[in-house]
Amino acid sequence: MQLKVLGTQSPYSTGAHHCPGFLVRDGQTKILLDCGSGIHNNLKFPDSLDGLTIVLSHLHRDHYNDIFIFQYASYVFHKLGRLKKPLDIYLPASPISISRDICTEQNAFAKYHPLTEDTKIELGNLTLTFCTTEHNILTFAVKVQSKNSSLVYTSDTSFAAKDKIADFAKGADLLICESSLLESYGYPEINNHLTAKQAATIALQAGVKKLALTHFWPEEDVNKYVREASKVFGNTIALDEGRYFTV
Ligand SMILES: [Zn+2]
Ligand SMILES: [Zn+2]
């Protein structure tokens, strides 16, 4: 499977950097993990909408703001006869007001599916499974498995979910892990997000092959996250918009 990085930053987009979004492709299968502010700039419409499955890991704005752009574009291109298949959108059922806001959008060509820990999505050669993290709203980490490889995206989480996420990510080829914080700034161990060092600790415990850091503070030097994490887990990189990986 191929991964295209669309957004790596939070809580807002700047220039070519956008909020979380990752496009996974395998043959005809296209899956968008999160729909953060600005990521539509890195996709070509309507081609990208055709046969697209969207998974929203949680309903914080940095992870779903662009869903309304995808919905409206799907509505317009469907009206124009240029989009034949509705978007499939998977999302948490809570917070209810936000979930309802998305699912009742009138100007959309989409089908909606509630996400739970038992959800299993099979698309072509890919299987998606889910695991809740510890965050201040219902949040899901996602695992994408092909015949020969797997990637895990943690979404947002506190270090309190360390063991659960390490189990979920066991042996993955690629762990896309949020690292919003730097330990050097003196954050408490249990926060609403991970430090780069904590992301590396989870990668080590899970025995993954490669750690890809994401969810960076816009004003911070990205190299600082990699330096902090690399002391614990050697094969660490920082994701960057537009980059492709074969997993
Ligand atoms: Zn969040
Ligand atoms: Zn976030």
Side-chain angles (χ1 to χ4, degrees):
M1 65 180 130
Q2 196 181 53
L3 172 78
K4 183 180 182 187
V5 180
L6 307 176
T8 64
Q9 184 169 284
S10 177
Y12 55 92
S13 59
T14 54
H17 298 289
H18 305 297
C19 290
F22 307 95
L23 185 68
V24 178
R25 297 192 70 143
D26 184 80
Q28 296 300 307
T29 304
K30 284 188 285 191
I31 303 161
L32 175 59
L33 305 177
D34 276 342
C35 211
S37 320
I39 62 155
H40 70 280
N41 289 293
N42 281 335
L43 294 172
K44 190 173 179 296
F45 288 176
D47 302 10
S48 297
L49 301 173
D50 191 33
L52 182 65
T53 297
I54 301 176
V55 173
L56 300 179
S57 67
H58 67 301
L59 299 178
H60 276 157
R61 284 208 175 262
D62 55 327
H63 295 253
Y64 79 85
N65 257 349
D66 262 21
I67 195 70
F68 301 109
I69 291 173
F70 282 70
Q71 286 176 302
Y72 197 68
S74 73
Y75 166 76
V76 172
F77 280 113
H78 179 58
K79 285 268 180 205
L80 292 172
R82 294 173 61 188
L83 185 66
K84 307 287 188 205
K85 186 178 179 296
L87 302 174
D88 273 304
I89 301 176
Y90 290 80
L91 72 169
S94 72
I96 292 169
S97 59
I98 302 172
S99 182
R100 190 181 292 145
D101 188 32
I102 294 169
C103 296
T104 59
E105 171 59 47
Q106 291 295 303
N107 295 334
F109 183 49
K111 287 183 184 166
Y112 305 96
H113 314 270
L115 263 187
T116 72
E117 255 189 332
D118 298 326
T119 301
K120 186 176 183 185
I121 307 171
E122 292 182 319
L123 294 165
N125 294 321
L126 303 183
T127 303
L128 279 69
T129 49
F130 300 87
C131 155
T132 52
T133 74
E134 294 283 336
H135 200 42
N136 57 356
I137 60 169
L138 178 61
T139 301
F140 294 93
V142 54
K143 175 157 48 186
V144 185
Q145 279 178 298
S146 70
K147 280 180 187 145
N148 306 313
S149 61
S150 63
L151 73 82
V152 169
Y153 166 50
T154 62
S155 186
D156 292 359
T157 185
S158 121
F159 200 53
K162 169 176 75 93
D163 293 341
K164 193 176 182 188
I165 293 174
D167 279 350
F168 185 63
K170 208 85 192 160
D173 294 276
L174 181 68
L175 176 63
I176 302 172
C177 192
E178 77 121 306
S179 75
S180 308
L181 311 172
L182 289 161
E183 192 206 29
S184 49
Y185 288 163
Y187 287 100
E189 185 181 62
I190 301 302
N191 204 292
N192 210 24
H193 288 282
L194 300 176
T195 65
K197 184 181 176 184
Q198 289 174 332
T201 304
I202 292 171
L204 188 68
Q205 187 173 329
V208 301
K209 294 199 177 77
K210 186 193 269 289
L211 170 63
L213 302 176
T214 190
H215 208 279
F216 305 119
W217 181 250
E219 297 172 312
E220 194 56 85
D221 173 7
V222 166
N223 295 315
K224 286 190 187 173
Y225 299 95
V226 177
R227 277 199 294 272
E228 184 174 294
S230 296
K231 289 176 190 161
V232 175
F233 188 84
N235 194 8
T236 299
I237 58 164
L239 291 181
D240 193 19
E241 282 78 359
R243 206 160 157 184
Y244 285 91
F245 294 88
T246 299
V247 181

